[in-house]
Amino acid sequence: MLSNKKGLTYADAGVDIDAGNKAVELMKDSVKATYRPEVLGDLGGFGGLFSLMNSNIKKPILVSGTDGVGTKLRLAIMMNKHDTVGQDCVAMSINDVLVQGAEPLFFLDYIAVGKLDPVQVATIVKGVAHACEESGCALLGGETAEMAGFYAKDDYDLAGFGVGIVDRDKVITGETIGAGDVLIGLPSTGVHSNGFSLVRKIVFERQKMQLDQYVDELGMTIGECLLTPTRLYPRPCLPLIRNFDIKGMVHITGGGFYENIPRVLPKGIGVEIDVTTWPQLPIFGLLQKWGDVAKEEMYRTFNMGIGMILIVKADDVDAIMANLSERGEKAYIIGKTVQSDVRVTLKGGAFDD
């Protein structure tokens, strides 16, 4: 006797292959717009192909970095706004590659979803592609995983992997940094992608705010401010790396000033930073006030308005600042290196109380 039971399909288990194919079609043009001449093949292969045959670098070194967006995604999900987090994903890896002196070459993304919405995924990837194009790197491939029963229906995670190239003789390590060098800070666009567990505790638990709540000091809603994407630093920094002796670079991410700056300092060298030398973005003052957060904790958690630091010879400062100014880039002389076993000393403002 024949059974009338219908056989189960992958779709019955919560995975829609057709939706995945539609998402790929929706993102194809965005991805192709990022391709450099070195990209071989087309989107959809099992692996991305990238040729180094035309590189003029004598001793090529590949530099890689990987990271995710973290709990900032919760805000994007709550606001149903997914067009900015792709830039966060790219910036977190590409900025880390950059600080080694490397030119970004290509990037791959990974998106895991509870229920695949082709339009949502394509929107995320368009943000990734736009950031790759802005950084001069190709979006070489990626993966979208529909994980029914693992993530909630509207939840997703986003991470990525970037690769850059640098001549072995020009890798920026920080080993030549000595006392008397100067720190130049490049401004951030906001909170970037670190410290959001504390941000959410302050905004939602302490202040009981809604993301659509307008904040006069910010000139926008708190949600709009917090979702401002992480700044991409290749455009302002690559010309400096190519034309000047950049001794060290620091991407201010999780750990803020106190944890990130020592990563490039030789033994016996510390930095003294005057926190009054750049304009503080209003969001940081508000978070500190709303959460009653100690000033040291703020600088240990957030970028506080400086997303990238260059450590350079004092003799090069004027030329570097002029170069940045000519290209319309804001920069601030924020401190100096000193002979000291204390790695980071912050001065000025509240630190002089």
Side-chain angles (χ1 to χ4, degrees):
M1 184 175 179
L2 297 176
S3 172
N4 290 324
K5 289 184 178 179
K6 181 183 177 184
L8 289 173
T9 67
Y10 211 2
D12 293 329
V15 179
D16 190 339
I17 294 175
D18 291 335
N21 292 334
K22 182 178 179 182
V24 171
E25 285 300 317
L26 290 173
M27 67 179 73
K28 265 189 173 180
D29 289 343
S30 298
V31 173
K32 287 184 177 180
T34 72
Y35 283 1
R36 295 167 52 121
E38 300 96 327
V39 175
L40 307 177
D42 203 352
L43 182 68
F46 286 98
L49 305 178
F50 194 97
S51 172
L52 295 177
M53 292 296 292
N54 295 324
S55 171
N56 294 320
I57 297 177
K58 295 179 181 179
K59 302 177 185 177
I61 298 292
L62 294 179
V63 182
S64 61
T66 185
D67 209 337
V69 180
T71 61
K72 185 175 185 177
L73 289 176
R74 177 56 56 197
L75 278 65
I77 293 167
M78 292 169 67
M79 294 178 67
N80 193 27
K81 180 175 171 57
H82 311 286
D83 58 341
T84 61
V85 290
Q87 178 167 326
D88 290 299
C89 185
V90 174
M92 293 303 291
S93 292
I94 291 301
N95 288 341
D96 280 354
V97 166
L98 180 71
V99 299
Q100 303 294 141
E103 174 190 353
L105 294 179
F106 59 82
F107 186 83
L108 294 95
D109 61 20
Y110 172 79
I111 306 172
V113 301
K115 178 66 177 175
L116 200 155
D117 177 341
V119 174
Q120 180 194 69
V121 169
T123 300
I124 295 169
V125 173
K126 283 179 181 178
V128 172
H130 173 77
C132 285
E133 196 172 2
E134 173 73 15
S135 301
C137 67
L139 179 52
L140 197 58
E143 165 71 2
T144 301
E146 189 171 18
M147 301 172 66
F150 191 87
Y151 289 95
K153 175 178 175 291
D154 295 323
D155 283 354
Y156 65 90
D157 198 7
L158 175 62
F161 177 92
V163 173
I165 191 169
V166 61
D167 191 301
R168 184 171 184 173
D169 295 334
K170 296 183 179 179
V171 176
I172 298 175
T173 64
E175 61 186 6
T176 64
I177 295 172
D181 291 328
V182 176
L183 277 65
I184 297 175
L186 302 182
S188 68
T189 52
V191 181
H192 283 182
S193 298
N194 297 104
F196 271 84
S197 294
L198 179 56
V199 168
R200 290 185 298 113
K201 192 170 189 67
I202 292 170
V203 172
F204 301 136
E205 294 184 27
R206 278 285 188 98
Q207 295 299 306
K208 302 189 184 306
M209 299 177 73
Q210 300 296 315
L211 286 171
D212 61 357
Q213 185 170 330
Y214 188 87
V215 180
D216 288 336
E217 294 94 330
L218 302 175
M220 62 184 76
T221 67
I222 185 67
E224 289 171 330
C225 177
L226 294 176
L227 273 189
T228 301
T230 306
R231 186 179 179 190
L232 299 157
Y233 289 98
R235 190 182 294 273
C237 290
L238 280 174
L240 302 178
I241 292 170
R242 291 167 182 153
N243 296 296
F244 295 95
D245 177 18
I246 307 299
K247 291 189 164 191
M249 293 180 67
V250 183
H251 183 203
I252 304 296
T253 55
F257 286 65
Y258 287 110
E259 303 300 326
N260 285 294
I261 295 174
R263 294 165 69 177
V264 304
L265 298 177
K267 187 176 181 180
I269 297 295
V271 299
E272 293 181 351
I273 295 176
D274 183 348
V275 301
T276 67
T277 52
W278 69 89
Q280 187 183 83
L281 298 175
I283 184 60
F284 295 112
L286 290 172
L287 289 172
Q288 183 174 11
K289 180 177 70 173
W290 291 341
D292 191 26
V293 183
K295 58 184 181 295
E296 291 87 357
E297 185 68 13
M298 291 294 294
Y299 283 85
R300 192 180 300 279
T301 305
F302 301 112
N303 65 64
M304 300 304 290
I306 295 293
M308 183 68 75
I309 295 175
L310 311 175
I311 303 177
V312 303
K313 293 182 293 187
D315 290 346
D316 289 340
V317 171
D318 289 345
I320 290 172
M321 294 295 285
N323 181 290
L324 287 164
S325 179
E326 287 167 4
R327 292 186 287 122
E329 301 287 354
K330 291 183 179 179
Y332 308 95
I333 299 172
I334 65 171
K336 62 182 179 181
T337 56
V338 294
Q339 198 82 36
S340 176
D341 290 328
V342 179
R343 306 297 259 174
V344 178
T345 301
L346 303 183
K347 298 181 176 182
F351 288 95
D352 288 338
D353 291 347

